[in-house]
Every structure is written in structure tokens, then in C-alpha cells.
Amino acid sequence: MLFSKLVALLSATLVLASSKPRSVQKLNIIRDTDGLQTNVTWDEYSLMINGERMFMFSGEVHPYRMPSQSLYLDILQKVKSMGFNTVSFYVFWGIVEPKRGVISFEGFRDLQPFFDAAMEAGIYLMARPGPYINAETTAGGFPGWGTYTPSLWRTSNTTYYEAWQNYVSTTAHILAENQITNGGPIILVQSENEYTGWAPGYSEDFTYEAELLSAWRTAGIKVPITFNDASPEGHYLTVNIWGYDSYPNGFDCSSPYTWASNAVPTYFWSAHEEYAPEEPNAVYEYQGGAFDGWGGSGYDTCAILTGPDFERVFYKNELATSTTYLNLYMIYGGTNWGGIAHPGVYTSYDYGSAIAEDRTLREKYYELKLQANFLRVSPAYLTTRPMNSYSNQGAFTGNQALLTTQVLDVVGNQTGFYVIRQANASSNAMEMYTLTLPTSVGNLTVPVLGGQLTLDGKDSKVHVVDYAAGANTLLYSTAEITTWATIDGRDIIVVYGNAGELHETAFKFDGTVPAATVVSGSEQLKSETINSTNLVIQYTTTGQTVVEVGSDVLLYILDRANAYEFWVLYPPTTGAYANYSTADPILVKGGYFIRSVDVSGSTLALLGDLNSTASFEIIAPAASSAQVTFNGEPLTLEKTSYGTLTAEKTVSLPQVNIPTLESLTWKTADSLPEITPTYDDSSWTTANHTTTVNPTQPSTPVVLYAGDYGYHTGNILWRAHFTSLGAETGFTLNVQGGSAFGYSVWLDSSFIGSWVGDAVYESYQSSFSFPGTLSKGSAHVLTILQDHMGYEEDWTAASDDFKAPRGLLSYSFEGSNATTVDLWKVIGNLGGEDYVDTTRGPLNEGGLYGERQGWHLPDFDDSYWADGLPTNGISSAGVSFYRTTFELDIPSGVDYPMAIVTTNMTTNPYFRSQFYVNGYQFGKYVNSVGPQQAFPVPQGILNYNGLNTLAVSLWAHENEGAKLSSIALEVLAQVESSMAAVVNQPMPPWTPRPGAS
Ligand SMILES: *[C@@H]1O[C@H](CO)[C@@H](O)[C@H](O)[C@H]1NC(C)=O
């Protein structure tokens, strides 16, 4: 009521929102989107959903990187149970409109299952439809046809403007239907992406920005429009809620324990106050992991670089800037299956995220849960301001090695949050300190009962002062709070510290001070009444200790490992937004993952996943927990002396039969008939363009850029027909394909050489000798097979970097400058932009003969092929294809993620392979570059209950040939699971492929 009145009253002042006065007005003016809607509003402190302030703790998930759509719910529920309420996602223009004017949201590209899963998980969505997204995707999300569309992209240039119209309006309509204003999950839409840097001579194009804003609104976007500056530099300030990105620990996963001494950002608050003082401090991408490139050190190292210690230090530092919108990129990375990747990343996009590529949970997940649950129950934080951002060294502690930022609730009752960290971020020193804090009862030096607090190396803490927890007020707590909940009239307060640390929690009472009694655990408390109405409790955080403070407080004192085990769950209410409720929390300790809770009558139904036998403690209203079920089975309950429930649940992890792939029958066929004398390439595309709009102007008589002929992904074959002048001794060529690409060249049927590729070169010039002299007037053909690692991104606006061609940059005949190519032919994926497999999309298959023929697809008749394994391989340079089938019969009720795994081959190491599972390309392997050897394939792409087809391509770069060192199907984790049944993605079988030759 008050809220809607306020909005009405202020509608006259809404013009302020768009004109962005630079003067700092602390008016607490609630803004909407110029009267379009009132569901999502904001002021200078936070976002509000239907008037309720929220810390938007968000994680990035890309639907297109998880094509098994029935797993969306599992991922989003994992995000939700971590205490998050929002997910941010990109839409990838290049896969939606691979042929200009033909837009398809078919199959895995359909966004509706993602929206539906968000509603079911109770997760809000921020949509980021680009049109440019970066995202380590090929061409940064631009469609391949963009590479031959003239004029600078990411500007207001008319040609580009016309190019994005169709995509933006079609996509925006789909998003609009799923906005919160229409009963959907979308609360924000981002325009462009990191539009922050420009090629020399160009600058921020305000016309382009305005055109996009207008296009979103015209197509029906009513929720606030946001923008993420790549770093806080004040670009695109005309959006509703401006914000920025930051990756402060960088991407060098090979030195994961090394942090720069000044790695923790310190200027975000001043930047926010300079650029968007009337909006919430919003960080739309904050480092949640790191990507890893070809030849990199692997995602396990990225998970260390951005591990729990990183999460503590860097995310708590965001609280020192009163950030109230925090999106972690990535929270679930997924897979660059097919041709999704740009050359800077390989097949896995695990990202070292809290939720791994195979959907298992890293320790990072549990650390984040501690922080997210705290923010959810700390509304005072939502109206805070940092009070001493630039004078925090030694503040409150007197210890110059420590920075303490005071963050005060300036609207409410002055609740204080004291964020403490090392001044030198790289320090591993154990710092001792006491805190002298202003409190509502005057200054106190904490610990009051003696001793010192500790900050051990790469750590950070949030100490609270005058903090409301239900009916109680904590005068202060040095142990951090992960949650509190009022259950059956009792305030359950859960605090934690590192094992063995000294801490104090003090309660502020009005009158009589009750006693503190240990009711569980071995901890010895020290307690004392100070100022006659305040009770100070001192303890160390070791294991779990439960303390009753009078009759209406239950204080859980935990070490970190015990705190990790706490889950905060909310029973659904009714209606479409039932799963968004944050009322009536239920606390559960134990279990690898608790997915949800439901209450019906006196029964509490828990759904969860276990990887070992669980001991639960359940804190729930007595009336709704007379019986408790776990995944539908009743638990045998016992009651603790202090009124909570405990139960054991044995885990059930059935053995499964996984086929030994190397024991199966495999079929093999040659996949390079192009080098046989009778091969006919007449149906290929003739490469005969003499001009191109590409910024890289050709130095060859005809344009030899695959993209100009509509081939944008995977392997590309070129054929150069020439007539000998009798003097040629060899061939020199410069081929470009992106980092880790390679190529091989044949003269007629003779192999003449390869560039085997490495992580450094995006293009490479080689000279190969002909095996003998050619007779004058004889006709020959050179066959060039090259890899395409994706297009470059277009990070720098107005650079057109994404147009960097894939193909031949130059060539010449050794010994005979006058020799010319009479005819150039090129082929990539069958059909090019008129790609054949609309289910698996435009990037799934490349131009190898076997791919053009559909040999990677289920049901292709390989009965006439020879027997042969990829681990036997081939004995000369060339390409071969291998196929096998196997059955799986995995019982329901488990989540056993699997991967195709190979190992490094050290003899004859120069080869590359692709792994196709039921026609979906889920692995691009370059043996000599690496690092990836395990290629997770999600359930639903892998058929867990029936037949699977595995196809492998093997391209040997050297005369000695090549073979895979090994190939296996491995179970990556065994989890008893409550996830919804997985429905297989469509796996259309082979059908005749007209035109494939
Ligand atoms: C959006 O706001 C309107 C007006 O206050 C309200 O009636 C409606 O229920 C809200 N929608 C949602 C999904 O919360």
C-alpha cells in the first residue's frame, strides 16, 4: 500500500531516472521503469521485488552449454539451495540465426524449458541477449554470416543495425512473454555486453546504445534494462541499472596459489558513486572461476585459483562496497560441445565453478552457501553504506596488516557489518587482533572476555554489531552468521568460525539476562553479563556445540566443516511463485545436497542427493515434522534433548555395468577419400570470389576464407586444381584457424606435410616439398584439411576482430612463381548455413568426409566397414572414422555422471580427434596440445537406458599415423539422487544426405 502510493507520488519525478543527475541525492526514491511496471523497482540501495528488498545473489548459467534440457532443473535447484535467488544467462545469436533471416529456437535452443525450470526452482532470471555476448563463444555470439556482412559491428552503422533487427525483436518477444510482469521468472534484461573498449579512432556509440534500448522496449521488455561495463568506467549509463564486471584474480590457473598483493579491488565504491549513485551497486559479472585455454593447466587448477579462500576474501570485499546485486560468472559452466567455443577455450567450460561441469558440487559451493544464506537473513545489509573505504588500514584493530571496513545500515537501526581482510592479499600470515567497535551500548573492545581474534592467511570475516535475529539482537558476534530462523517461537542462530578459533557472541537483552547452557557438544563456554543487560559468550569453534540461551534462543556454534552441512529450505506456498517463498525456513544439517522441502500436514518431505550415509539434524516446526521422509522414504527420527530431530539415512549406490569400450566391436572407414585419384569435388563450393568485405583483404587471386562461402565451423577442406609448369618443387601456404588449429596437405594422393598446431599460433606458414618433379602440363590437385577452432571474439567494439578469416591467407608454388591454381574448391559442414541437422544445431558438425556423410549419427549402416579400433588407429597421415555402439542400463534414483576419457599418447603424438555421442560432438581433442582428457557427456545426450552410438574421428598429422592411447567410458561420481527423471534429447538417426559427396 505504502509502496504503491510512493510509486504513484513519485511518477512525476521519474524523469530523474533517465536523466541521471550526477549529484548524489540520498532520497531513497524508489524507481520503476518509467511506469511500465512495478514488480521490479530499485533505489540507491537495492532492487526490490514487489516492494521487498533483496540481495540478488546470482550465478551465471548458459542454457546452450547444457543441451540436455531436463537437467536445467537440477542445476537451478543446486543454485537455489546454495542460498542464491537469481541466475543470469546469455542468449547466443549465432546458433539462433545461423542463416540470415532464418531464426530457430528449435530443440536445445528452445529457452522455454529453462524458464520453466527457473519457475520450478524458484529462481529469478536476468536475461542477457546481447546481441554481442563475448562469453568465450565463437565470434562472441555473432552469427557466422556476420563475417561477410560489411561495416563495423557493435556500432550504429546501418548495415549492422539491419543485421540485428530480426534477432533482437524475435528474442525480445520471447523474453517479454517470460517477464515477471507476465508471470515469468525474468526480472532484468541486459543490453549489449561489456561495451567498454573501442578500436583506435572509435568511441562509445551513443546512437547504437539508444537504438538497442528502444528495440528492447518496442518488443515489449518492461523490466529494468541493465548493462555491464567490463570494468567500472561509466559507459552506457542510460540503462536503468548500470553495473560492471570484474575478474580480480585473473585467469592464470597454472599458478593457482599466487594472488597479487593488491588483487582485491578497492575502487568499486567510488566508481559506483561517480557513475550510478542513485542505483544499487550492481556487479553483473564477478569472478566465479576462470576459463582455461588450449594447452592450459586444467579446470581443477582454476577451481583452486578461485577456491573457498578466494570466495571468502573477494566476495566479502564486495560487501565492503554495499554491493546488493552480485552475479558470479560462472556458477555452472557446462560444455563447449559442437563448435560453441572461440579459440581461447577447449571443449570443457567447467570454469572451475562451484558446480562442476558434471553437476557435482565443489567445496566452493558449500563456502558460497554460508555467505548466501547470511545475506538472505540480513535485511539490514541492504540499506548500508561503507563508512571508511579509504581509511580502513588498521581501523578498529590497530593492526596495520589488516583492513577493516565499517558498513553501516544508514536507513534502519545502524546495524554494523565489519569486513576484515589482510592488507596484503597474498599474505599467509596469521594476524591477531582485537576490535574496538561502536555499539548501541558504547564502544567495546572485543573479545570482551580476553584473548584475541585471528585472521589466518587468505581469509576474510564479517563481524556484526547490533544485528537483529528474530526477536533477539546480537550486540555483536565475531563468529560469522550463516543463518538464523525463528522456529516454534525459538530463534535458531547458527554461527561459525575456522576450527579452533576463539570467538565471542553477545546478546542484548531488555531486562533479565538468561543463562547460557551447553546442551550438546563438548565446548566449554565462558560467559559473563556486561552492562547489566548484555550476555557475552566466549568459545572456540570446534565441531558442533549447541547452546540454549534462556528458553527462546538456540545458538549453534560450528566450525567451518560443520557449518558447510547446514541447509536452509523454504516450503513452497501456492500459486505460480510458490517456490520463491522465503517464509517458514526449515534447517537441515547433513547430506551432500538437499534439493527441497515440502510440508503436508504433519509430514516433512525432504528431497536430496547423497554420496555417503548421512546423519541429519532437522530443525523444523514440531507440528509439521511429526514424520519426515527423505526421497519418499520415512526416516526413523530421534529427538534431541533440546527439541530437534536426528535421523540416519544409509546411502544406496548400486553397482552398474559400464562397458569397456576397447573390448567392443568397432567399425572403421577411411574419412579422406578426397585424396584418391577418382575423387570428384564438383559438388563442392567453388571458391571464386574476387572481392570480400573482410577487413583482412586477400593476397590471393580468389578469396580463400571459408566464412565467405558460408562455412563457419569445424574442419574445412580446400582443393586447389592446377596444371604443372614442370618446375614446382613444393608449396608454401599460410593458413589461419585459431589457437591450437592445425592443417595437413596432400599433393594428389601423397602426403606432403602438416602444421600440427600449438596453443600459440592462430595462423601458421609452412613450406612442403613435393615428392618429385611434376611433368609439364600434368594436372594435379592439392588437398588441404584445416581445423577451425571457432571465430575470434569481438571484445574490442568497432574492431571487427570476429571477422578474422579461417582459411588460406596466402600460398605460392616453390620453384615456380608462375604456376596458378585453375580452380579452388571448398567444403565445410554439409549445407553450410543451410545446415542439415536442425536438432543438433548449426555448429555440431564440421566438414570431414565422415561428418558430411553423417557417420557420427545413430543408425548409420556401418556393416560393410572393416573392424578396427581408434586405439589401433592408422599407420599414415590421414583421417579415419570409428563407430561402436553400447547399451547402458542405469537404474533410476541415481546421478552417475560419465565422461569419455582418453589418455595422452606420447609416441606419434600429433593427431586430433572428435568424440560424437549419439550424434552430438562432445569432445574436440588435440593430443599434443591438451589439456583436456576427460570429456563429460550429460545424461540425456548419453542414453542411460538403452543404446548409444559413439563415433570417433582421428586425424593423423604425420607420416607415422596415429592412434588413441586409450578410450574409456568412466563414471565420474556416484550420487543417490532425487533429480527429476531425465528425458533424452532427440537423437535423430542417420538418414540419406542428399548432396553429400
Ligand atoms: C506485479 O505487480 C502487480 C501490481 O502490483 C501485481 O498485481 C502482480 O501480482 C505482480 N506480479 C507478480 C508476478 O508478482
Side-chain angles (χ1 to χ4, degrees):
M1 178 70 157
L2 172 69
F3 161 71
S4 47
K5 218 187 241 171
L6 196 53
V7 169
L9 274 173
L10 293 173
S11 56
T13 66
L14 285 174
V15 65
L16 281 176
S18 37
S19 64
K20 289 252 173 168
R22 291 297 175 91
S23 65
V24 179
Q25 297 179 39
K26 300 293 179 198
L27 293 177
N28 195 13
I29 295 174
I30 296 171
R31 299 173 196 284
D32 60 17
T33 41
D34 302 341
L36 289 172
Q37 56 84 41
T38 55
N39 298 99
V40 186
T41 56
W42 70 95
D43 64 7
E44 70 265 44
Y45 300 111
S46 75
L47 232 66
M48 286 154 270
I49 308 288
N50 292 319
E52 185 193 345
R53 285 192 189 282
M54 281 189 200
F55 185 95
M56 309 313 293
F57 217 149
S58 170
E60 185 83 10
V61 177
H62 297 152
Y64 61 85
R65 284 186 159 117
M66 168 43 92
S68 184
Q69 292 166 301
S70 52
L71 290 172
Y72 290 153
L73 183 61
D74 180 62
I75 294 164
L76 297 180
Q77 286 180 325
K78 281 172 173 163
V79 174
K80 172 73 178 220
S81 285
M82 194 168 45
F84 282 38
N85 49 20
T86 309
V87 154
S88 159
F89 70 101
Y90 281 131
V91 187
F92 181 179
W93 179 8
I95 55 169
V96 167
E97 193 185 4
K99 183 181 172 72
R100 186 163 181 169
V102 184
I103 294 201
S104 168
F105 280 93
E106 271 179 87
F108 77 94
R109 292 170 285 186
D110 184 0
L111 294 171
Q112 199 58 48
F114 191 69
F115 300 149
D116 295 347
M119 291 297 291
E120 197 172 339
I123 285 281
Y124 296 113
L125 295 177
M126 172 162 76
R128 309 204 297 160
Y132 183 70
I133 59 172
N134 208 63
E136 290 74 67
T137 48
T138 179
F142 282 153
W145 51 265
T147 62
Y148 59 78
T149 304
S151 88
L152 288 174
W153 284 41
R154 304 187 77 191
T155 72
S156 58
N157 200 302
T158 310
T159 325
Y160 173 59
Y161 175 84
E162 286 165 357
W164 58 255
Q165 290 307 309
N166 203 352
Y167 164 72
V168 164
S169 78
T170 309
T171 305
H173 277 104
I174 292 169
L175 300 177
E177 281 170 27
N178 289 278
Q179 292 174 107
I180 188 169
T181 53
N182 287 335
I186 295 174
I187 56 165
L188 298 169
V189 172
Q190 178 185 297
S191 190
E192 247 278 355
N193 185 78
E194 296 180 330
Y195 184 60
T196 304
W198 290 268
Y202 294 89
S203 58
E204 184 170 357
D205 186 333
F206 299 104
T207 307
Y208 171 44
E209 293 177 348
E211 285 167 349
L212 278 174
L213 284 184
S214 149
W216 303 124
R217 290 289 182 232
T218 303
I221 300 298
K222 295 181 175 172
V223 294
I225 292 176
T226 64
F227 170 69
N228 62 331
D229 228 346
S231 56
E233 295 175 25
H235 303 297
Y236 211 165
L237 290 172
T238 50
V239 298
N240 297 119
I241 311 174
W242 173 88
Y244 48 91
D245 298 354
S246 175
Y247 292 82
N249 232 9
F251 299 92
D252 182 5
C253 300
S254 68
S255 309
Y257 299 100
T258 307
W259 298 4
S261 59
N262 61 351
V264 182
T266 55
Y267 61 99
F268 287 178
W269 177 251
S270 59
H272 166 73
E273 284 297 89
E274 179 178 356
Y275 299 123
E278 303 193 344
E279 295 158 21
N281 191 2
V283 184
Y284 292 124
E285 287 182 33
Y286 202 56
Q287 184 158 23
F291 60 73
D292 193 40
W294 290 102
S297 52
Y299 280 112
D300 289 342
T301 59
C302 300
I304 297 170
L305 179 72
T306 58
D309 48 1
F310 167 87
E311 294 180 316
R312 291 198 290 276
V313 173
F314 286 80
Y315 302 161
K316 288 174 190 174
N317 188 60
E318 290 303 289
L319 307 187
T321 59
S322 293
T323 300
T324 58
Y325 196 107
L326 187 59
N327 178 50
L328 302 185
Y329 187 108
M330 304 290 298
I331 207 69
Y332 171 78
T335 309
N336 290 311
W337 63 280
I340 285 174
H342 87 127
V345 291
Y346 44 86
T347 305
S348 175
Y349 199 66
D350 175 277
Y351 218 85
S353 299
I355 306 173
E357 182 181 12
D358 63 6
R359 294 174 294 101
T360 56
L361 308 178
R362 291 192 163 105
E363 184 184 343
K364 295 177 66 170
Y365 177 95
Y366 299 92
E367 172 60 40
L368 269 179
K369 177 156 60 75
L370 297 180
Q371 298 184 29
N373 281 334
F374 167 62
L375 289 162
R376 183 134 72 183
V377 296
S378 304
Y381 171 76
L382 298 172
T383 48
T384 54
R385 285 294 175 255
M387 308 310 285
N388 64 327
S389 298
Y390 299 98
S391 54
N392 53 10
Q393 186 164 11
F396 304 101
T397 65
N399 182 340
Q400 297 303 309
L402 296 174
L403 307 180
T404 306
T405 309
Q406 181 190 42
V407 183
L408 281 187
D409 176 5
V410 295
V411 172
N413 62 1
Q414 297 285 312
T415 298
F417 301 84
Y418 293 81
V419 184
I420 188 162
R421 66 176 175 91
Q422 303 270 0
N424 175 351
S426 68
S427 172
N428 290 316
M430 164 94 86
E431 293 297 334
M432 314 296 290
Y433 62 101
T434 59
L435 283 162
T436 301
L437 299 172
T439 76
S440 57
V441 300
N443 279 354
L444 292 173
T445 295
V446 176
V448 166
L449 306 186
Q452 288 194 294
L453 304 172
T454 50
L455 193 76
D456 189 2
K458 290 176 171 139
D459 198 3
S460 173
K461 295 175 184 181
V462 180
H463 303 304
V464 297
V465 171
D466 290 304
Y467 179 93
N472 285 277
T473 298
L474 300 182
L475 182 60
Y476 63 88
S477 182
T478 70
E480 295 187 271
I481 296 165
T482 182
T483 193
W484 60 265
T486 305
I487 295 174
D488 282 347
R490 194 160 58 160
D491 290 332
I492 316 296
I493 302 170
V494 186
V495 301
Y496 67 98
N498 291 315
E501 279 178 355
L502 179 83
H503 284 289
E504 282 184 353
T505 299
F507 289 83
K508 186 178 175 185
F509 294 105
D510 289 337
T512 322
V513 173
T517 316
V518 173
V519 293
S520 169
S522 55
E523 191 56 40
Q524 305 292 310
L525 303 183
K526 254 198 215 175
S527 69
E528 200 174 304
T529 300
I530 60 166
N531 300 355
S532 69
T533 56
N534 306 310
L535 177 67
V536 178
I537 304 172
Q538 187 179 89
Y539 49 85
T540 59
T541 43
T542 307
Q544 170 170 310
T545 301
V546 184
V547 179
E548 272 180 355
V549 183
S551 59
D552 71 347
V553 172
L554 208 51
L555 177 67
Y556 280 74
I557 298 169
L558 309 170
D559 62 18
R560 183 172 300 280
N562 276 274
Y564 278 167
E565 292 194 56
F566 267 77
W567 303 88
V568 183
L569 303 148
Y570 303 92
T573 51
T574 55
Y577 291 82
N579 293 319
Y580 290 77
S581 172
T582 53
D584 306 320
I586 283 160
L587 308 185
V588 177
K589 188 192 180 200
Y592 166 76
F593 169 56
I594 307 294
R595 189 179 299 277
S596 64
V597 69
D598 203 354
V599 173
S600 88
S602 59
T603 300
L604 198 70
L606 297 172
L607 293 182
D609 292 14
L610 303 180
N611 59 6
S612 61
T613 291
S615 300
F616 292 122
E617 181 169 355
I618 298 154
I619 313 165
S624 53
S625 58
Q627 298 84 34
V628 180
T629 62
F630 186 84
N631 295 347
E633 283 178 37
L635 295 177
T636 306
L637 301 173
E638 292 188 32
K639 214 169 202 145
T640 62
S641 63
Y642 49 97
T644 66
L645 303 170
T646 58
E648 287 272 309
K649 171 74 177 72
T650 51
V651 71
S652 164
L653 300 172
Q655 288 292 318
V656 292
N657 287 324
I658 302 299
T660 305
L661 297 185
E662 291 179 33
S663 307
L664 301 174
T665 300
W666 289 75
K667 294 289 196 169
T668 185
D670 174 50
S671 181
L672 196 67
E674 291 90 347
I675 62 168
T676 55
T678 54
Y679 186 77
D680 177 7
D681 62 20
S682 58
S683 71
W684 290 23
T685 302
T686 300
N688 58 2
H689 298 183
T690 52
T691 60
T692 177
V693 298
N694 198 289
T696 304
Q697 280 299 299
S699 64
T700 51
V702 293
V703 179
L704 298 175
Y705 305 160
D708 280 36
Y709 302 99
Y711 301 116
H712 303 297
T713 190
N715 300 290
I716 309 284
L717 285 114
W718 301 92
R719 300 221 337 142
H721 297 262
F722 67 97
T723 307
S724 173
L725 300 180
E728 302 83 3
T729 59
F731 191 63
T732 295
L733 72 172
N734 188 1
V735 184
Q736 182 159 282
S739 173
F741 91 111
Y743 57 90
S744 297
V745 186
W746 288 262
L747 172 68
D748 305 319
S749 298
S750 304
F751 174 67
I752 60 169
S754 287
W755 164 244
V756 298
D758 65 21
V760 176
Y761 287 100
E762 293 167 5
S763 62
Y764 199 83
Q765 178 165 308
S766 304
S767 294
F768 303 120
S769 299
F770 288 163
T773 44
L774 309 179
S775 55
K776 187 168 182 197
S778 58
H780 300 276
V781 59
L782 286 155
T783 299
I784 302 153
L785 168 60
Q786 75 157 106
D787 210 349
H788 183 323
M789 314 309 280
Y791 285 120
E792 305 298 332
E793 295 178 312
D794 208 47
W795 165 261
T796 305
S799 69
D800 275 0
D801 285 346
F802 79 104
K803 295 177 179 173
R806 271 67 183 105
L808 275 75
L809 301 180
S810 66
Y811 67 87
S812 58
F813 288 88
E814 297 300 304
S816 178
N817 283 339
T819 304
T820 55
V821 172
D822 308 321
L823 175 66
W824 275 99
K825 292 292 226 175
V826 59
I827 194 93
N829 67 299
L830 183 63
E833 291 171 12
D834 292 307
Y835 60 103
V836 182
D837 188 344
T838 54
T839 301
R840 298 177 185 88
L843 300 177
N844 186 59
E845 57 187 56
L848 292 179
Y849 182 79
E851 294 176 293
R852 278 143 46 207
Q853 297 296 327
W855 291 353
H856 56 292
L857 297 170
D859 290 4
F860 173 76
D861 179 9
D862 58 19
S863 58
Y864 62 92
W865 287 14
D867 287 353
L869 274 76
T871 46
N872 292 338
I874 48 175
S875 54
S876 58
V879 185
S880 57
F881 238 81
Y882 303 86
R883 290 174 51 87
T884 192
T885 58
F886 58 87
E887 303 259 351
L888 289 174
D889 183 18
I890 311 297
S892 61
V894 300
D895 186 2
Y896 288 4
M898 296 187 214
I900 303 291
V901 181
T902 187
T903 44
N904 187 246
M905 173 54 101
T906 51
T907 49
N908 301 339
Y910 298 110
F911 68 89
R912 44 192 76 216
S913 277
Q914 298 171 118
F915 305 121
Y916 283 97
V917 176
N918 297 319
Y920 289 84
Q921 194 256 81
F922 257 80
K924 192 172 170 96
Y925 177 64
V926 184
N927 182 70
S928 56
V929 178
Q932 190 177 6
Q933 296 183 352
F935 297 85
V937 183
Q939 184 174 357
I941 297 299
L942 202 54
N943 177 7
Y944 272 40
N945 297 99
L947 190 68
N948 289 279
T949 301
L950 174 61
V952 175
S953 65
L954 176 73
W955 166 5
H957 272 302
E958 302 273 56
N959 261 325
E960 296 73 21
K963 59 188 181 186
L964 286 178
S965 162
S966 65
I967 186 164
L969 180 65
E970 287 182 11
V971 173
L972 300 171
Q974 287 189 301
V975 178
E976 177 182 343
S977 180
S978 55
M979 71 179 179
V982 174
V983 179
N984 286 336
Q985 287 299 122
M987 299 169 184
W990 183 87
T991 53
R993 296 193 145 202
S997 60

